[in-house]
Amino acid sequence: MPPTPCSLCHSARALVKRPKTGQQVCKDCFFEVFETEVHNTIVDGAGIFKRGERVAIGASGGKDSTVLAHVLCLLNQRYDYGLDLFLLSIDEGITGYRDDSLETVKQNQVEYGLPLKILSYEDLYGWTMDRIVAQVGKRNNCTFCGVFRRQALDRGAAQLSVDHIVTGHNADDIAETVLMNIMRGDVARLSRCTAVTTQSEDTIKRSKPFKYAYEKEIVMYAYFKKLTYFSTECIYAPDAYRGHARVFLKDLEAIRPSAIIDIIHSGESFVLEQSVQKGMKAMQTCLRCGYMSSNDLCKACALLQGLEAGLDRSALRQGQENNLTVPEGHRTIPKFERITSGASTPTTPIALESIEKPLKAIAM
Amino acid sequence: MAMLDMLLQHGYVGKGDGKTADLTKGEREVLWDRGTVVYVEFAGVTGMEDRMGAMKTLAEEKGLRFVGLRAEEAFDSTLGQKLGRPSASPGGIAVDLSNPSLPLLDLPSASSPASASAPDPLLRLQTLLASLPAPSRPALLAHILSHLLNLAAYSIPNVSHLLLGETSTREAQRVVSGTALGRGWALPLELASATPLLAPNTDSASDPPPTTLDVSAPINPAPAPIPAAPQSITRLKPMKDVTLKEAALYCHLRGIPTVNHRKWTSEAGGGSDARGKGVHTIESLTEAFIAGLDVTHPATVSTINKTGDKLVFNGDSPSLPGPENCCPVCQTPAEPSAQAWKSRTALTSLPGRTKSIESAVPDSTDDHSGSVELAPMLCYSCLTTFTPSSTRKGTDKGQPAYLPQWVAESVRKREVPREEMRAGISGFLLDGE
């Protein structure tokens, strides 16, 4: 049987079938079409980036952030975006998961020559996810991690004086989130989860350049480009509610591969009725730590208060109104120092992971 | 069946005798003077038992009128005439599903001698279904059902409402499966509990008023042409807050026989399995998923429906869009730039790449130059429904698949006549042109 020619260049032999379109393409065309689609996402409309922006790549050592760092460095050079790129990593303190993946982040730092900043839950909140799960159980612990990570990323970005955070959320993640928010009735999140860039007042912009990139294609890209990454799902993930949406999404994809992008398209089309939009609370700052909040206390402070009080899952129901007195002996989150957008150089030295130590480790 | 029984049981539907209720005796005023059961039979494509006769008997026993249609009649160019709504564009239309731009091919009208060799409507429906990927078939059958119900409603005189028996469980399934099918744009319209129906071949200024219809037989081939006033019909879903289980329990307690499977998601058509779960379509997967999740999270159905209720339509006013403003297949208001969105997010070509040697040689069987393309007219979801599967090898290159009659009419109404084009550029034409 003669080899199938690539559907794009019609000359080279097809080596892969694109999970997104089913087209059979050669390796070079796959790289080009993948990178071009990400570039299109970045420049579409008014564009995600502005020239001269300081951009922190949320790096976990997993496939998404590893490929994101690679592709963003490549496109920044190829299309001259004029960006200053950094790596920002969060250590949630999950034994057997995060400690190994951080080594991959350090390798990424060396490979791409980017400055790296690591923030840990232990340093920031005094709690690791292992301790949190031990206290609250294996259900609902994703709420703690999600809330804590969001604030940690913003704090790390503020310390780096960056204007913008990019994360490796891919099409599968976004489709999963759309389904999950429908199932949970979270209309507030449903209205914004498909936006490629989100920014509330007085917060750092966050963007998802991989919004339309299939997870399978990211893996394929990493495989053919021989990129190294740490591939293990969070050990606490299977019990999460999101797991239901994930299994359903994978089944949908098996029936119709375009279902992932179709869900994203549906999500982009959703508009909430006016009364729901007006009912959403206005943003303010937390009266305890200064982070953005829709109540007197931000969610992170409320959750931390619950943890410090020794509560289990009921820590999730800690009030966020009129509860500003910190019980004696309880830890609090340090004040959030906000760097205003446009400040290109920090006034105080920032403790970044030096590149020498990882270089030496690799040399050994 | 539960809805029908409840409507009659509680006296919402009268017997058409004009009798007024005696309120002093506790009788309830009827909401609708007369009711008509509309039944669409899909046995020709599902292989299930034909229940047309049984449904007609049921309706007559309950003192209701009956209109029975078959799914394949959506491909019958004479259906409009039979129902007293003659079509302005009696000719059919076919599409080349192997070409992503979906070029259309005109077919001779039913009165033309050339139409004698055309396949019958059932074969046209079966051919179209076989040409589509398996996951796309339930969506097409749903559009056929919706269109035939609309057509029947507008053909019956003095109808004010079309009542659908969709339960809350079915609505929750619609929210999730509609999202997965890319129908987010039209979903708020589909979920609305009360919405105005788009009249078939809507062009109120030029369409003739519908004639009356003898509904004592499923189809009256020669209706008496008595003009009736133009209608405006509202679609209602009275069962929106009743779950599937509650409806099933009601029918069980009342001794009402029901058929609970449509078999639109027949697995005989092939298609990819959902990772060994034995389901091949998004609709059946969604049904199973919601049923399973409802066991561990009992508020699932109500939560999903509450989410759906908070969505609003993002386009222009959805009431009575013109043919140029609606998707020819699903007849919902047109979605802007669906094709452009699709091509932007999933590249299928790279600029500057050379064409294959084969494509440089003109292929006479692939010559659709000048033909109208269906793809730009479709909404995102219908475009996905008709997009050829890259793995599908069954579709013959250039072999046309017939489209339902209403699609042909909708497409033709969009076509700009040459005279109108000429009038627009007359100032720029040189003498002799």
Side-chain angles (χ1 to χ4, degrees):
Chain A
M1 189 172 160
T4 309
C6 171
S7 300
L8 292 173
C9 67
H10 307 288
S11 50
R13 183 183 164 198
L15 283 180
V16 298
K17 188 171 102 169
R18 280 196 77 190
K20 187 192 273 191
T21 60
Q23 278 186 317
Q24 296 179 346
V25 300
C26 64
K27 217 170 23 169
D28 288 337
C29 283
F30 171 69
F31 292 150
E32 188 175 341
V33 76
F34 181 88
E35 291 157 7
T36 304
E37 282 179 1
V38 176
H39 171 65
N40 287 348
T41 305
I42 289 171
V43 302
D44 195 33
I48 291 178
F49 302 120
K50 289 187 181 49
R51 193 166 189 81
E53 261 188 329
R54 292 165 66 85
V55 177
I57 302 170
S60 64
K63 61 182 182 330
D64 298 325
S65 55
T66 299
V67 174
L68 178 62
H70 177 88
V71 170
L72 209 48
C73 286
L74 184 78
L75 297 179
N76 190 31
Q77 205 169 28
R78 181 184 293 169
Y79 295 103
D80 191 27
Y81 294 157
L83 305 175
D84 268 334
L85 299 175
F86 299 83
L87 290 173
L88 176 58
S89 195
I90 307 299
D91 179 3
E92 303 97 341
I94 302 176
T95 311
Y97 170 63
R98 187 52 82 213
D99 40 6
D100 292 329
S101 66
L102 281 176
E103 290 307 311
T104 309
V105 177
K106 289 171 183 171
Q107 284 184 29
N108 291 339
Q109 178 196 16
V110 171
E111 278 177 55
Y112 307 121
L114 299 177
L116 167 66
K117 172 85 184 151
I118 300 177
L119 244 63
S120 72
Y121 280 10
E122 178 83 71
D123 292 338
L124 203 48
Y125 310 114
W127 286 77
T128 62
M129 275 309 297
D130 286 344
R131 277 188 63 209
I132 291 172
V133 172
Q135 182 162 312
V136 306
K138 288 193 176 178
R139 282 185 75 168
N140 304 115
N141 55 74
C142 281
T143 300
F144 289 87
C145 195
V147 169
F148 285 165
R149 187 190 299 109
R150 169 168 273 275
Q151 201 179 117
L153 273 175
D154 279 346
R155 286 173 179 268
Q159 290 176 24
L160 286 169
S161 303
V162 299
D163 310 297
H164 208 140
I165 298 172
V166 292
T167 55
H169 289 96
N170 56 50
D172 296 53
D173 295 325
I174 293 171
E176 211 174 273
T177 304
V178 169
L179 291 174
M180 195 176 70
N181 288 332
I182 289 173
M183 286 151 44
R184 294 196 318 184
D186 195 335
V187 289
R189 287 199 173 96
L190 184 61
S191 65
R192 52 178 196 255
C193 68
T194 53
V196 70
T197 298
T198 50
Q199 181 177 26
S200 304
E201 192 182 309
D202 207 25
T203 63
I204 297 170
K205 269 194 297 188
R206 284 163 183 259
S207 296
K208 306 175 192 110
F210 280 176
K211 178 183 172 186
Y212 300 115
Y214 273 36
E215 185 178 35
K216 283 194 173 79
E217 296 205 351
I218 291 172
V219 172
M220 204 177 267
Y221 187 92
Y223 175 75
F224 285 117
K225 284 282 189 182
K226 297 182 174 51
L227 304 180
T228 52
Y229 62 88
F230 185 76
S231 171
T232 298
E233 196 179 57
C234 176
I235 57 176
Y236 301 127
D239 300 309
Y241 188 81
R242 181 178 278 269
H244 296 294
R246 180 175 300 130
V247 169
F248 180 56
L249 185 72
K250 290 298 144 190
D251 291 339
L252 284 172
E253 189 189 6
I255 291 174
R256 180 191 265 181
S258 71
I260 295 174
I261 209 90
D262 296 341
I263 290 170
I264 296 176
H265 182 81
S266 290
E268 288 183 4
S269 306
F270 289 155
V271 173
L272 296 180
E273 59 185 4
Q274 288 286 327
S275 57
V276 173
Q277 291 188 46
K278 285 178 184 162
M280 293 184 193
K281 293 182 181 177
M283 296 307 282
Q284 57 187 56
T285 52
C286 174
L287 297 175
R288 190 176 288 174
C289 76
Y291 188 67
M292 67 160 180
S293 175
S294 49
N295 298 291
D296 292 339
L297 270 191
C298 71
K299 191 70 178 174
C301 283
L303 291 176
L304 183 61
Q305 184 165 301
L307 289 171
E308 291 289 322
L311 299 177
D312 53 10
R313 283 174 59 195
S314 53
L316 289 163
R317 292 192 284 276
Q318 280 291 289
Q320 291 175 258
E321 303 281 357
N322 301 322
N323 195 9
L324 303 175
T325 308
V326 182
E328 199 177 317
H330 281 198
R331 267 174 289 228
T332 58
I333 304 174
K335 266 291 187 197
F336 181 50
E337 296 293 340
R338 198 169 280 98
I339 307 291
T340 54
S341 177
S344 55
T345 51
T347 53
T348 53
I350 294 163
L352 288 169
E353 283 272 335
S354 161
I355 205 168
E356 282 82 23
K357 192 174 165 190
L359 269 176
K360 281 181 190 166
I362 293 168
M364 285 165 64
Chain B
M1 296 301 288
M3 180 187 73
L4 185 63
D5 190 77
M6 276 193 255
L7 290 171
L8 295 170
Q9 187 76 358
H10 293 281
Y12 291 118
V13 180
K15 295 191 187 304
D17 51 12
K19 183 184 162 192
T20 53
D22 186 346
L23 300 176
T24 60
K25 291 183 181 172
E27 289 177 359
R28 185 178 295 173
E29 200 72 66
V30 296
L31 285 182
W32 297 285
D33 185 51
R34 192 83 192 266
T36 305
V37 170
V38 181
Y39 176 72
V40 180
E41 180 59 71
F42 284 85
V45 291
T46 61
M48 290 176 72
E49 180 193 348
D50 191 313
R51 301 182 69 236
M52 185 76 82
M55 294 303 295
K56 181 168 182 253
T57 305
L58 176 82
E60 287 169 354
E61 283 171 359
K62 298 202 181 288
L64 298 169
R65 296 182 296 186
F66 178 78
V67 171
L69 297 168
R70 294 182 183 279
E72 55 267 27
E73 286 177 300
F75 294 76
D76 184 355
S77 55
T78 63
L79 177 63
Q81 204 167 1
K82 291 173 188 171
L83 291 176
R85 295 189 69 90
S87 167
S89 309
I93 209 164
V95 65
D96 177 6
L97 288 173
S98 65
N99 187 323
S101 59
L102 304 174
L104 296 171
L105 309 161
D106 275 324
L107 297 173
S109 68
S111 55
S112 158
S115 71
S117 57
D120 69 15
L122 179 59
L123 190 57
R124 293 185 183 195
L125 172 57
Q126 290 170 338
T127 305
L128 178 59
L129 286 173
S131 303
L132 293 176
S136 295
R137 293 169 197 158
L140 176 69
L141 292 173
H143 294 323
I144 288 174
L145 173 64
S146 181
H147 180 79
L148 288 175
L149 288 176
N150 282 11
L151 185 64
Y154 272 100
S155 303
I156 301 167
N158 303 318
V159 166
S160 60
H161 293 85
L162 172 67
L163 272 60
L164 302 179
E166 285 199 2
T167 60
S168 61
T169 311
R170 187 71 77 191
E171 286 284 280
Q173 289 163 3
R174 186 190 280 271
V175 172
V176 176
S177 64
T179 302
L181 290 166
R183 287 198 73 73
W185 168 259
L187 205 53
L189 301 176
E190 294 178 3
L191 297 173
S193 49
T195 189
L197 275 189
L198 174 65
N201 307 322
T202 298
D203 187 358
S204 55
S206 60
D207 269 357
T211 57
T212 54
L213 176 69
D214 178 357
V215 294
S216 60
I219 303 254
N220 182 5
I226 303 169
Q231 299 161 278
S232 172
I233 299 177
T234 301
R235 187 197 68 199
L236 284 182
K237 295 183 184 180
M239 301 282 282
K240 202 173 185 280
D241 295 317
V242 177
T243 67
L244 191 63
K245 281 183 189 167
E246 288 169 339
L249 185 59
Y250 178 91
C251 289
H252 173 73
L253 293 173
R254 294 276 296 160
I256 302 169
T258 58
V259 173
N260 299 313
H261 299 284
R262 293 189 289 202
K263 286 210 174 166
W264 285 1
T265 57
S266 168
E267 320 310 358
S272 306
D273 185 1
R275 304 193 301 168
K277 292 185 179 173
V279 289
H280 293 73
T281 64
I282 288 174
E283 287 80 359
S284 52
L285 180 69
T286 304
E287 282 179 32
F289 172 67
I290 289 182
L293 200 60
D294 212 31
V295 171
T296 52
H297 299 78
T300 295
V301 166
S302 59
T303 305
I304 292 173
N305 284 335
K306 278 182 197 159
T307 308
D309 287 344
K310 291 182 178 131
L311 301 175
V312 293
F313 180 65
N314 195 22
D316 295 332
S317 170
S319 58
L320 305 179
E324 68 282 3
N325 294 325
C326 71
C327 170
V329 174
C330 64
Q331 302 282 288
T332 51
E335 185 174 359
S337 311
Q339 196 180 20
W341 193 97
K342 215 181 208 338
S343 56
R344 201 172 68 240
T345 53
L347 296 178
T348 51
S349 65
L350 286 170
R353 294 292 181 188
T354 54
K355 289 191 175 181
S356 67
I357 292 172
E358 289 78 13
S359 69
V361 176
D363 182 349
S364 59
T365 64
D366 198 23
D367 182 14
H368 295 296
S369 58
S371 59
V372 176
E373 293 176 346
L374 183 64
M377 303 181 202
L378 298 177
C379 67
Y380 181 88
S381 172
C382 290
L383 184 60
T384 306
T385 297
F386 284 93
T387 294
S389 167
S390 54
T391 56
R392 190 166 174 78
K393 294 177 173 53
T395 308
D396 293 330
K397 192 173 168 61
Q399 190 69 23
Y402 297 92
L403 291 175
Q405 190 62 28
W406 83 79
V407 178
E409 289 158 3
S410 197
V411 167
R412 292 207 177 95
K413 279 184 180 280
R414 280 170 170 251
E415 287 173 1
V416 179
R418 285 195 63 81
E419 293 72 27
E420 195 176 320
M421 282 189 226
R422 190 184 172 83
I425 57 169
S426 59
F428 301 96
L429 293 174
L430 299 175
D431 291 340
E433 280 301 315

